Amino acid sequence: MTVGQVAAGGSGNVLAERSTFTDAQAGNADTEMTLERAVSMLEADHTPPSRISAAATFIQHECFQKSEARKRVNQLHGIPKLLQLLKIQNEDIQRAVCGALRNLVFEDNDNKLEVAELDGVPRLLQVLKQTRDLETKKQITGLLWNLSSNDRLKNLMVTEALLILTENIIIPFSGWPEGDYPKANGLLDFDIFYNVTGCLRNMSSAGPEGRKVMRRCDGLIDSLVHYVRGTIADYQPDDKATENCVCILHNLSYQLEAELPEKYSQSIYIQSRNIQADNNKSIGCFGSRSRKVKEQYQDMPMPEEKSNPKGVEWLWHSIVIRMYLSLIAKSVRNYTQEASLGALQNLTAGSGPMPTSVAQTVVQKENGLQHTRKMLHIGDPSVKKTAVSLLRNLSRNFSLQNEIARETLPDLVSIIPNTVPSTDLLIETTASACYTLNNIIQNSYQNARDLLNTGGLQKIMTISAGDTYASNKASKAASVLLYSLWTHTELHNAYKKAQFKKTDFVNSRTAKAYHSLKD
């Protein structure tokens, strides 16, 4: 699944915007203050500073949760006036102006685009670097977060804001590279860091070019990983900024192997090829499921595994895989769980050296199946879908199939619905569950027998038959699974004893689905 599709599904990669409300009084403004009067007062040459900040504060208040007020300020050409005022070295004015702009762009794409077209982003970043006022920093970072939710502005934000936000907020607050764990200092506090991680979370779904720039950004990935590891160590897996950080890492892991610089992919390929050659020799001597080979798999080094990873090397490092599994086990935040599962899903997609190696680390080195299995029984359908998609990726590895069957087979059957699924999420989840079962029974008579013994075959047949008016992904996946089950000839008598006929498994529908997958 692309990051864009995930975002469109409301899956936590594009984060909601935030507007702001302060209790500051609108100076000496009397009850007759209107938006028209407030905008006209934003002329620095003719208005005292106290009246300017009062007018900007009034605009901020009026635009809080009022879409009509935002449109009216735009019609009155208030946005260029507010941006001009950022040049004035006056804390009260800068604070009020940033608060007004933050509310003006809240859920208003015309206003967002106007701020960007008037070079508002570099102006705001200039103030962010210079000001020592915490409230102003909060308003600017909240404003940038709101701007970043517009798809047309994400790449602009990556180009103009990424480096400054990383150097001025992300690195110092995270405690990297000093090795400290996150702590506030005089110039930063948690809300500012939270706003910036929210902004980067949106930027990380900008597409392949944006991802490449973010992966190359010095200190960004290191700081995010350091921060998340710190919150896990402090028993705070439900920290709000941790959710943002993991969502960024999730997006940056998408299509990672395909988008890596050649020097990484070549060395990963060479290392993995050598490892595979060694393992193949052992398999010939001991058989694929022997204890000796299993131990070798468990000790298998990650591709390009370094004791001191830097930057992009963190994304597939075993320390980070362990970090994701810890969050899956310990966090109760659905987006944190989903992003952690999603990152592992991204890293195990495909059949190259990296996905194979990550899959073996998850299953055999880090005991990750127990945590993933628990996510199949969670209430949130998106988390459940991502957990099954991860299992589907893992089950493509022949050496892991028996372990996956042993740990998860009854759970996979239990989440398949009794009737044909009708919602997109449930269709995807059911299809992934059926394809996972198909992978683990294809090469194992025993796993196929275990599936029969769960009593779930009737559900799979119901879904395979589908609705007469629409055959969906789930119906196709169930059909493929049934056809594969019949290929175990030694089970034919057991099927008959369970009151099933050959035509339940092999018919025009299941044959068509099975062969279309093979083509």
Side-chain angles (χ1 to χ4, degrees):
M1 176 178 277
T2 70
V3 169
Q5 287 169 315
V6 172
S11 190
N13 288 290
V14 176
L15 203 56
E17 300 169 40
R18 305 164 92 208
S19 57
T20 179
F21 190 81
T22 70
D23 291 326
Q25 295 301 310
N28 300 320
D30 54 33
T31 52
E32 292 176 31
M33 178 69 96
T34 62
L35 283 174
E36 287 76 8
R37 180 172 293 182
V39 170
S40 70
M41 287 167 63
L42 300 176
E43 302 283 355
D45 296 342
H46 310 108
T47 316
S50 63
R51 298 286 282 167
I52 292 174
S53 56
T57 302
F58 178 81
I59 292 169
Q60 177 188 354
H61 282 204
E62 285 302 295
C63 292
F64 181 71
Q65 296 181 343
K66 291 182 194 168
S67 60
E68 286 308 311
R70 292 175 213 136
K71 288 183 174 58
R72 184 67 187 132
V73 173
N74 187 323
Q75 290 163 357
L76 295 165
H77 307 293
I79 291 174
K81 290 182 178 180
L82 286 163
L83 288 170
Q84 279 294 111
L85 291 169
L86 291 174
K87 294 176 184 171
I88 299 174
Q89 298 298 310
N90 178 305
E91 270 184 9
D92 291 336
I93 289 177
Q94 287 182 338
R95 188 186 312 122
V97 164
C98 292
L101 286 167
R102 180 178 179 180
N103 284 0
L104 273 164
V105 304
F106 177 72
E107 294 183 347
D108 190 310
N109 284 317
D110 291 338
N111 288 356
K112 284 183 182 135
L113 294 171
E114 179 158 5
V115 168
E117 283 159 12
L118 294 168
D119 289 329
V121 174
R123 293 189 199 195
L124 290 160
L125 292 167
Q126 190 64 30
V127 177
L128 182 67
K129 285 197 294 184
Q130 291 173 346
T131 185
R132 298 181 69 82
D133 183 63
L134 280 180
E135 188 56 37
T136 304
K137 284 179 186 275
K138 282 183 199 175
Q139 297 295 3
I140 293 173
T141 53
L143 166 53
L144 293 170
W145 181 358
N146 287 354
L147 290 172
S148 71
S149 68
N150 183 293
D151 285 338
R152 288 168 60 186
L153 298 182
K154 283 175 187 172
N155 281 314
L156 172 98
M157 296 287 289
V158 170
T159 306
E160 296 190 345
L162 176 64
L163 198 57
I164 291 169
L165 293 177
T166 300
E167 290 178 350
N168 289 272
I169 311 293
I170 296 289
I171 292 173
F173 188 85
S174 72
W176 180 88
E178 284 74 26
D180 297 333
Y181 280 129
K183 58 178 187 287
N185 61 35
L187 299 177
L188 287 175
D189 76 358
F190 177 78
D191 282 343
I192 295 165
F193 181 74
Y194 177 55
N195 288 347
V196 172
T197 55
C199 184
L200 266 58
R201 177 174 172 174
N202 288 344
M203 287 154 61
S204 67
S205 64
E209 290 314 308
R211 286 195 295 274
K212 286 176 188 173
V213 173
M214 291 184 79
R215 288 183 196 128
R216 289 196 300 264
C217 181
D218 282 347
L220 173 60
I221 294 172
D222 311 74
S223 298
L224 297 175
V225 169
H226 186 78
Y227 180 83
V228 175
R229 291 178 70 199
T231 57
I232 292 170
D234 289 343
Y235 303 102
Q236 293 179 326
D238 299 316
D239 168 74
K240 291 188 300 183
T242 292
E243 179 189 297
N244 286 346
C245 294
V246 179
C247 285
I248 298 164
L249 294 169
H250 169 209
N251 284 347
L252 297 187
S253 69
Y254 181 66
Q255 293 195 333
L256 178 60
E257 198 170 35
E259 294 172 3
L260 271 180
E262 207 169 294
K263 61 173 183 170
Y264 290 115
S265 45
Q266 279 181 345
S267 59
I268 288 169
Y269 174 70
I270 291 160
Q271 282 204 18
S272 175
R273 192 174 55 188
N274 295 338
I275 292 160
Q276 302 254 284
D278 292 343
N279 279 329
N280 287 342
K281 285 177 202 161
S282 319
I283 287 168
C285 304
F286 300 104
S288 65
R289 294 305 297 170
S290 78
R291 194 168 61 113
K292 182 153 187 175
V293 171
K294 193 164 178 232
E295 282 167 5
Q296 268 198 313
Y297 271 130
Q298 284 177 332
D299 297 332
M300 183 189 226
M302 286 291 288
E304 191 71 9
E305 179 89 304
K306 292 186 175 178
S307 55
N308 58 338
K310 290 186 176 64
V312 73
E313 293 163 1
W314 276 113
L315 291 177
W316 65 86
H317 200 278
S318 57
I319 290 173
V320 167
I321 292 169
R322 202 173 304 131
M323 179 184 90
Y324 291 137
L325 290 169
S326 291
L327 288 170
I328 292 163
K330 294 172 182 171
S331 178
V332 297
R333 288 179 84 88
N334 289 337
Y335 284 143
T336 301
Q337 293 168 336
E338 188 185 347
S340 302
L341 289 161
L344 294 173
Q345 180 195 346
N346 286 343
L347 293 170
T348 54
S351 54
M354 183 195 293
T356 303
S357 189
V358 173
Q360 285 163 343
T361 299
V362 169
V363 175
Q364 295 180 322
K365 200 173 174 184
E366 299 300 339
N367 201 14
L369 287 177
Q370 57 169 330
H371 306 311
T372 309
R373 195 186 82 219
K374 284 177 188 160
M375 296 296 104
L376 299 179
H377 303 291
I378 200 159
D380 186 88
S382 294
V383 174
K384 192 181 292 190
K385 179 182 81 76
T386 311
V388 186
S389 299
L390 169 58
L391 287 173
R392 181 181 177 184
N393 285 355
L394 297 173
S395 70
R396 291 187 179 123
N397 295 265
F398 176 76
S399 64
L400 307 178
Q401 287 169 353
N402 287 340
E403 210 160 330
I404 293 166
R406 194 165 56 248
E407 290 233 20
T408 69
L409 194 147
D411 303 271
L412 287 164
V413 174
S414 75
I415 64 165
I416 293 173
N418 291 308
T419 55
V420 180
S422 54
T423 66
D424 288 346
L425 263 179
L426 194 53
I427 288 168
E428 291 280 352
T429 305
T430 306
S432 287
C434 288
Y435 283 129
T436 306
L437 290 167
N438 187 57
N439 289 340
I440 60 184
I441 65 98
Q442 264 187 323
N443 305 304
S444 168
Y445 149 80
Q446 187 55 52
N447 293 344
R449 177 178 279 283
D450 290 345
L451 174 54
L452 170 65
N453 292 339
T454 63
L457 282 194
Q458 191 56 60
K459 291 199 292 187
I460 294 161
M461 287 170 187
T462 300
I463 290 162
S464 167
D467 284 336
T468 46
Y469 63 88
S471 175
N472 60 38
K473 281 185 191 173
S475 300
K476 181 180 176 183
S479 296
V480 169
L481 174 55
L482 289 172
Y483 195 98
S484 294
L485 283 165
W486 190 256
T487 62
H488 292 286
T489 51
E490 58 271 66
L491 282 176
H492 288 181
N493 283 334
Y495 295 148
K496 283 168 187 164
K497 274 187 190 167
Q499 308 292 305
F500 295 121
K501 314 182 290 295
K502 178 180 179 179
T503 51
D504 291 329
F505 298 89
V506 178
N507 53 55
S508 59
R509 186 180 58 254
T510 61
K512 181 182 172 188
Y514 184 82
H515 293 301
S516 74
L517 206 65
K518 292 286 180 190
D519 293 342

